Amino acid sequence: MTPQRHIYLAIALERFAWYAMLGALVLWRGEASVGDLLAAAYLLPLVGGWLGSQLSLRTVTLTGAVALAIGYALASVDYATAALVALALGCGLFKPCLGTLLGSLYPIGPDRTQAYSRYYIAIQLGSLPSTLVGAWLRSHFGFWAVFAVCATSAAAAGLTIAAGWSKLQPRRESIAEAVIDGAITKAQWGKLAGLLAGAVVFFAAFQQQQTTLVVWARDVCRVEYPETLSSLNPLFCMALLLVPAIGAWSALRERMTLAMLSIAAAFCLLILSQHMRGGDSLAWLVGWYALGTLGEALISPLGMNLVTSLVPRRYAPLAMSLWLLSMSAGGKLAGLASVRTVGVTAVACVCAAVWFWVSERPRATPQLAAQLSTN
C-alpha cells in the first residue's frame, strides 16, 4: 500500500467515527454540546499543528488517533465530560497533522492538488455510511453501541498510520522550493487571512447540518431517525467532486462567492418552506443538502490545498491549524443557531459573498495603474 493510501484509509476511518458520533451527540446531549465540541475540536489543532512542526507529524497523528479511541470508549460507558475532552484533544492532534502529512509528500503543483481532492473524497467515503450505521445501532442497542463502534474505527485509523509508519516520511524540500519559501509576500498572507475569514462564515452555516437540520428533520418533518439525513452530504459531495470542472477551477474569488451564495440559497429554501403548502416535506431538506454541499465542494478541497501552499513549508502545520480554527469558530456559531435563526444565517452568507467578491477583486500593479491613468 502506498503512503497516500494509508492516509486516505486513516482519514476515512476517523471521519466515519466522527460523524457517527456527531449524529448521536445532538440527540444524546443537545445542540449546545455539539457546538462546544466542534469549537474545541477545531481550536485545539493550533496545539496539534505546533506539536507537529516541533516533533513529528506521524507521532502527533498517531497520538491523536489513540486519544479519539479513548474518547469514544469513555462515551460508550457514559462518561460524557471526559469523553468530550478526549475527543476534542484527539481531533486537535489528528486532523492538522494528517492533512499536512499528505501535503508534505508532494511538491506544490497538480499532483498535490489531485491528492487533496482524493483526500476529500476519502473523507466523504468515511462519512457516507456513518449516520446510517449510527442510527441503526442507536435504535437497536442504544447510544453506547454507537460510541463503541466509533472507538473501534478510531483505533483502526491509528493502526493504519502505524502500519505505514516507515513510508510516511515527508519529502525533502528542494533548493528551488526553499527559494520560493523565502519569497512569500505579505499579499499571500493577506490572501490566507481572507480565505480563513470567509471560511468562518461558511462553516457557521454549513455545520448546522449537525444541529439545526437534525432538529428541523425531527420537529418539522417528523423523521424518526433525523441524523440519517446527513448522509446526503457525502453522497452529493462525492458526485460533485467527480465533475472535472469543479476540481480544476482554481479561481478563489469566484469559488468563495459562489459557495457563499449557494449556502445562502440553501437556507432560503427552509425559509420558503415555512410559507408553502407541504413545507414539512423532506424535499426541502434534500434541496438544502444539494445546495449546501455544492458550497462545500467549492471551498473545502481548495482551502486545504491553498492554506499550506500560501505559506513557507515550515509553517504548513500552523496554516492547516488555522484552517481548522476557522471551522472551530464556525462550529461554535452553528451550535448557537437554531431553526429560528435560518433567516439570519441566509443574510449573513449573502453579506459574506458580497464582501468576498469586493475584497478579493484583482488589483492593478502600480505600473499598470499608472499606465491606465494616462490613457
Side-chain angles (χ1 to χ4, degrees), residues 39-343:
Y42 293 115
L43 177 63
L44 284 171
L46 288 173
V47 177
W50 179 80
L51 287 174
S53 63
Q54 298 298 314
L55 301 174
S56 160
L57 291 171
R58 295 178 301 173
T59 301
V60 179
T61 300
L62 182 57
T63 304
V66 172
L68 285 167
I70 292 172
Y72 294 128
L74 288 170
S76 70
V77 292
D78 210 26
Y79 286 101
T81 302
L84 294 177
V85 171
L87 290 173
L89 177 61
C91 186
L93 298 177
F94 187 89
K95 285 277 285 179
C97 293
L98 186 65
T100 306
L101 186 59
L102 176 64
S104 73
L105 300 176
Y106 296 90
I108 294 174
D111 289 343
R112 191 174 191 266
T113 302
Q114 188 177 43
Y116 272 112
S117 293
R118 290 172 178 168
Y119 181 81
Y120 208 73
I121 289 174
I123 290 174
Q124 307 312 316
L125 285 171
S127 57
L128 177 60
S130 60
T131 51
L132 296 173
V133 173
W136 185 85
L137 289 169
R138 178 177 65 82
S139 65
H140 286 77
F141 303 103
F143 286 110
W144 73 268
V146 181
F147 300 132
V149 169
C150 290
T152 304
S153 188
L159 290 173
T160 301
I161 295 299
W165 193 264
S166 61
K167 302 175 184 178
L168 296 172
Q169 285 278 18
R171 57 181 290 277
R172 292 183 178 275
E173 189 176 39
S174 68
I175 296 175
E177 288 171 320
V179 171
I180 293 172
D181 269 1
I184 297 295
T185 65
K186 290 182 179 179
Q188 285 169 282
W189 284 103
K191 191 172 185 179
L192 174 62
L195 174 62
L196 295 173
V200 170
V201 179
F202 177 81
F203 286 114
F206 181 70
Q207 290 187 120
Q208 288 184 50
Q209 67 172 301
Q210 307 296 344
T211 56
T212 302
L213 269 291
V214 174
V215 175
W216 190 287
R218 184 190 65 191
D219 296 347
V220 178
C221 300
R222 308 298 180 186
V223 178
E224 186 176 0
Y225 304 114
E227 69 270 38
T228 60
L229 284 178
S230 61
S231 294
L232 291 171
N233 170 232
L235 188 64
F236 284 141
C237 196
M238 285 189 293
L240 288 167
L241 288 173
L242 292 175
V243 177
I246 292 179
W249 191 24
S250 59
L252 175 63
R253 179 194 186 206
E254 288 79 4
R255 284 183 70 129
M256 286 292 289
T257 302
L258 181 57
M260 294 296 182
L261 292 177
S262 181
I263 194 70
F267 280 94
C268 286
L269 277 182
L270 297 185
I271 297 171
L272 183 61
S273 72
Q274 295 176 306
H275 304 283
M276 299 287 289
R277 180 178 297 178
D280 58 351
S281 169
L282 281 177
W284 297 100
L285 292 183
V286 173
W288 187 100
Y289 276 103
L291 290 168
T293 303
L294 173 60
E296 181 194 18
L298 290 170
I299 283 182
S300 291
L302 179 69
M304 287 191 294
N305 186 24
L306 269 182
V307 293
T308 55
S309 301
L310 290 171
V311 300
R313 187 174 177 180
R314 63 186 180 276
Y315 294 130
L318 174 61
M320 185 65 77
S321 299
L322 291 173
W323 173 253
L324 295 172
L325 179 61
S326 70
M327 298 177 70
S328 165
K332 181 60 180 176
L333 292 172
L336 297 175
S338 70
V339 295
R340 296 185 297 274
T341 60
V342 292

